């Protein structure tokens, strides 16, 4: 479904991505784990088109989307829930969701909002409140819900567990697993919390300083001594 | 005493409404791009000047005013397309300098295309002052205030009630997230330039019967509008309106009770004092948010 070939991206002279290649098959949950500054967020921003790629290619369902604008990628079925949640603080919870479905029809939007509320009932209670007043966990649910509003086939999740209590992290991971199971959404999950991410992932990649290191199934990586030592603190 | 105060208040609100419209133009573009568009005053000038020259050529006033707004919107869109869009990705400071260049360019073109003299339009409802509690109010003041209220209301409805308006607000709140949900932020910026130009031009049409216009009235208007936007809090539409009215009132009261020679000084002194106490402006983002 998604194929990244030797992707490079730089901030000035600092090369954040030095030729990253990976692929995600339809229906998979793929985890991308790595430390701070490894290039995880940069990669996702390149995939959404909000950062230009310096070299390499991104293929989505066979089409070369490397130079596509962000809104064209959303329309094609790629949505991202960004790092740090990044909700539209002054706008209401419901308006945040509505903007997630910005290019869809009225009926479809209403139906999507109900689905998100069914998934995260706490958001329904706060539908008219400004998103900036939600707790961290609620904002994370809103960011994921907003991404789902465009009915993506590929969901890019950037650090959904950051700053959340362990119980909430489990809750978010369950939701991700349920999304794939019930809605057939393919997920590329970027996490520093490697244990949580690899436990629900079919496959995983480890990224370090702009390059892919190890890769394998989630279970393999969880039990790989080098990965355990470097990223799991075990 | 009361008549005098009323006189000052009405003239302050009238000129303040124009500053508020200019400040609103600054706010819209700033929210979409962090750019302070210093060509904002030239939009006001174009609105007035095109109307003057169109009526002189025999076009009826309402049509001339409409054409002036239309032409200025076109100029605003072209400014975005030819000067801002090609520099996409440049820092906000670079873009601000581009708008200063555009402002000088527009003034130069206006000087050649029109002329260097002052021009006036007849008041829309005549120019006989209306007596009110002892004060004499120009009928055009009501046109300015009424027009400004209509523009504020229209803009408020657009931003609060339509999905496109919400996309504009989302872009202001978080540009990255807006792009990620598929909002075409380049289009939002183009729209902001178009709407700002239209608002500026409308202000120019409305106020020209009172204040006269010439090719270089934009400079001072942009400065006052900018001060108003800063006073209200850059980025807040409500702040722009309140800031504009306050600057206008301060000027009129300063001119009336202190000295007309120092009316600008009085206004700017108060602005400095307010910003000293509230650096974010009256309605600026406090920067505090729950995370």
């Amino acid at each position: 479904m998604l194929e990244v070939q030797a992707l490079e991206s730089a901030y000035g002279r600092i090369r954040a991505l030095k030729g990253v290649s990976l692929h995600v098959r339809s229906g998979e949950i793929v985890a991308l784990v790595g430390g701070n500054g490894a290039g995880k967020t940069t990669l996702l921003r390149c995939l959404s088109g909000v950062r230009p790629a310096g070299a390499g290619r991104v293929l989505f369902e066979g089409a070369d989307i490397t130079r596509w604008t962000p809104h064209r990628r959303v329309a094609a079925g790629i949505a991202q829930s960004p790092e740090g949640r990044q909700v539209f603080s002054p706008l209401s919870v419901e308006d945040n969701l509505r903007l997630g479905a910005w290019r869809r029809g009225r009926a479809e939007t209403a139906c999507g909002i109900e689905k998100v509320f069914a998934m995260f009932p706490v958001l329904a209670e706060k539908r008219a409140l400004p998103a900036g007043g939600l707790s961290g966990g609620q904002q994370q649910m809103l960011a994921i819900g907003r991404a789902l509003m465009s009915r993506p086939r590929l969901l890019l999740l950037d650090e959904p567990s950051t700053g959340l209590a362990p119980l909430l992290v489990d809750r978010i991971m369950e939701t991700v697993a349920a999304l794939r199971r019930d809605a057939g959404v393919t997920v590329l999950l970027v996490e520093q919390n490697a244990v949580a991410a690899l436990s629900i992932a079919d496959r995983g990649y480890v990224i370090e300083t702009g390059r892919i290191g190890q890769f394998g199934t989630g279970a393999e990586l969880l039990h790989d001594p080098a990965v355990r030592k470097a990223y799991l603190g075990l | 005493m009361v008549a005098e105060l009323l006189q000052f208040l009405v003239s302050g609100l009238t000129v303040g409404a124009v500053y508020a419209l200019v400040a609103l133009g600054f706010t819209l573009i700033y929210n979409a791009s962090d750019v302070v568009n210093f060509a904002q005053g030239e939009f006001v000038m174009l609105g007035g000047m095109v109307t003057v020259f169109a009526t002189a050529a025999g076009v009826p006033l309402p049509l001339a005013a409409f054409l002036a707004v239309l032409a200025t919107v076109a100029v605003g869109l072209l400014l975005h397309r030819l000067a801002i869009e090609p520099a996409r990705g440049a820092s906000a400071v670079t873009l601000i300098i581009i708008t200063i260049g555009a402002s000088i360019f527009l003034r130069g073109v206006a000087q050649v295309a029109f002329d260097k003299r002052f021009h006036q339009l007849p008041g829309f409802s005549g120019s006989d002052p209306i007596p009110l509690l002892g004060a004499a109010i120009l009928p055009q003041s009501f046109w300015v205030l009424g027009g400004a209220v209509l523009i504020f209301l229209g803009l408020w409805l657009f931003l609060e009630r339509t999905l496109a308006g919400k996309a504009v607000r989302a872009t202001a709140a978080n540009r990255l997230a807006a792009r990620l949900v598929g909002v075409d932020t380049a289009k939002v910026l183009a729209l902001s330039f178009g709407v700002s130009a239209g608002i500026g031009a409308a202000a120019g049409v409305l106020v020209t019967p009172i204040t006269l216009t010439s090719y270089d009235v934009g400079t001072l208007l942009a400065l006052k509008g900018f001060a108003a936007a800063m006073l209200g809090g850059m980025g807040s539409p409500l702040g722009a309106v309140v800031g504009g009215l306050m600057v206008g009132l301060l000027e009129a009261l300063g001119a009336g009770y202190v000295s007309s020679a120092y009316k600008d000084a009085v206004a700017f002194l108060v602005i400095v004092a307010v910003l000293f106490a509230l650096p974010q402006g009256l309605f600026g983002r406090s920067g505090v948010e729950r995370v």
Side-chain angles (χ1 to χ4, degrees):
Chain A
M1 176 176 241
L2 177 77
E3 188 161 355
V4 180
Q5 299 173 342
L7 196 67
E8 293 185 21
S9 185
Y11 297 89
R13 294 175 60 183
I14 301 163
R15 293 168 63 209
L17 299 179
K18 303 165 185 166
V20 169
S21 298
L22 55 80
H23 66 274
V24 179
R25 286 188 284 263
S26 186
E28 273 188 319
I29 296 180
V30 173
L32 179 70
V33 300
N36 250 331
K40 304 188 297 293
T41 294
T42 306
L43 176 64
L44 282 204
R45 291 196 176 166
C46 287
L47 295 184
S48 278
V50 292
R51 256 203 75 72
R57 293 204 306 165
V58 180
L59 304 177
F60 181 63
E61 296 184 325
D64 185 341
I65 63 165
T66 317
R67 305 272 165 243
W68 284 20
T69 55
H71 50 94
R72 194 168 166 203
R73 297 185 202 211
V74 173
I78 304 178
Q80 178 176 163
S81 160
E83 182 191 26
R85 307 186 267 276
Q86 315 245 18
V87 295
F88 303 122
S89 309
L91 276 72
S92 73
V93 167
E94 206 172 332
D95 282 345
N96 267 267
L97 293 176
R98 208 165 270 144
L99 283 164
W102 153 242
R103 291 184 172 271
R104 305 208 160 261
R106 205 172 274 260
E108 221 172 320
T109 304
C111 163
I113 289 179
E114 289 318 312
K115 273 188 192 153
V116 172
F117 284 165
M119 197 183 303
F120 304 115
V122 64
L123 294 182
E125 290 164 28
K126 311 207 166 197
R127 62 198 301 165
L129 298 179
L134 298 181
S135 74
Q138 291 162 354
Q139 288 193 9
Q140 187 58 61
M141 293 173 200
L142 181 57
I144 295 175
R146 185 181 61 190
L148 290 174
M149 286 297 293
S150 65
R151 295 214 310 188
R153 276 168 296 151
L154 173 64
L155 178 63
L156 309 174
L157 285 176
D158 198 353
E159 304 266 5
S161 79
T162 311
L164 298 189
L167 208 65
L168 269 176
V169 174
D170 292 347
R171 178 74 220 290
I172 297 283
M173 293 301 159
E174 276 165 31
T175 308
V176 173
L179 274 176
R180 186 258 301 263
R181 193 178 57 236
D182 305 336
V185 180
T186 306
V187 180
L188 177 57
L189 172 62
V190 159
E191 264 298 344
Q192 279 194 61
N193 186 339
V195 179
L198 291 173
S199 325
I200 63 158
D202 302 308
R203 292 186 303 116
Y205 293 87
V206 177
I207 184 169
E208 25 192 329
T209 58
R211 285 198 182 85
I212 297 292
Q214 288 98 326
F215 57 92
T217 65
E220 272 169 21
L221 288 177
L222 266 177
H223 298 105
D224 183 301
V227 173
R228 285 172 74 89
K229 190 160 183 293
Y231 298 100
L232 307 181
L234 302 170
Chain B
M1 201 41 202
V2 175
E4 199 183 53
L5 181 63
L6 187 66
Q7 189 81 54
F8 295 152
L9 288 181
V10 171
S11 68
L13 285 177
T14 305
V15 65
V18 174
Y19 296 159
L21 290 173
V22 176
L24 215 48
F26 275 119
T27 303
L28 282 176
I29 292 175
Y30 176 81
N31 275 344
S33 63
D34 288 338
V35 170
V36 179
N37 170 35
F38 278 103
Q40 193 63 38
E42 271 59 45
F43 294 155
V44 182
M45 177 272 289
L46 283 175
M49 289 295 264
V50 173
T51 312
V52 166
F53 277 78
T55 45
V59 181
L61 182 65
L63 183 62
F66 178 71
L67 285 177
V69 173
L70 214 61
T72 310
V73 169
V75 169
L77 291 174
L78 280 174
L79 170 61
H80 170 259
R81 184 73 196 79
L82 301 178
I84 302 294
E85 178 71 15
R88 184 177 45 180
S91 71
V93 175
T94 309
L95 294 173
I96 289 171
I97 292 170
I98 290 176
T99 69
I100 295 177
S103 146
I104 296 170
F105 173 76
L106 287 174
R107 231 176 299 150
V109 170
Q111 194 178 339
V112 176
F114 304 118
D115 57 28
K116 292 203 215 177
R117 286 184 320 205
F118 277 94
H119 297 277
Q120 193 175 15
L121 280 174
F124 297 175
S125 313
S127 48
D128 298 332
I130 301 166
L132 184 72
L133 299 174
I137 314 291
L138 282 175
Q140 190 65 25
S141 285
F142 295 110
W143 276 98
V144 174
L145 290 170
V149 167
L150 278 184
I151 290 171
F152 298 147
L153 269 182
L155 194 63
W156 182 82
L157 283 176
F158 170 68
L159 289 176
E160 296 283 333
R161 292 280 181 269
T162 68
L163 191 59
K166 284 169 183 169
V168 171
R169 288 169 64 212
T171 304
N174 191 325
R175 214 160 301 142
L176 173 71
R179 293 177 74 196
L180 285 176
V181 297
V183 173
D184 186 344
T185 49
K187 256 192 204 138
V188 169
L189 184 55
L191 176 77
S192 305
F193 266 91
V195 173
S196 293
I199 291 176
V205 173
L206 289 170
V207 83
T208 297
I210 298 181
T211 60
L212 308 183
T213 189
S214 78
Y215 76 99
D216 63 352
V217 291
T219 316
L220 199 60
L221 277 171
L223 193 63
K224 295 282 178 58
F226 179 64
M230 293 303 288
L231 180 64
M234 203 64 178
S236 155
L238 176 66
V241 174
V242 175
L245 294 177
M246 276 185 67
V247 172
L249 284 172
L250 284 169
E251 245 183 53
L253 295 174
Y257 290 119
V258 185
S259 150
S260 61
Y262 289 109
K263 65 173 181 147
D264 293 343
V266 171
F268 283 115
L269 267 178
V270 175
I271 292 167
V272 168
V274 169
L275 290 180
F276 190 73
L278 293 168
Q280 304 285 336
L282 296 170
F283 297 88
R285 293 172 201 157
S286 58
V288 179
E289 241 166 54
R290 231 166 126 181
V291 285

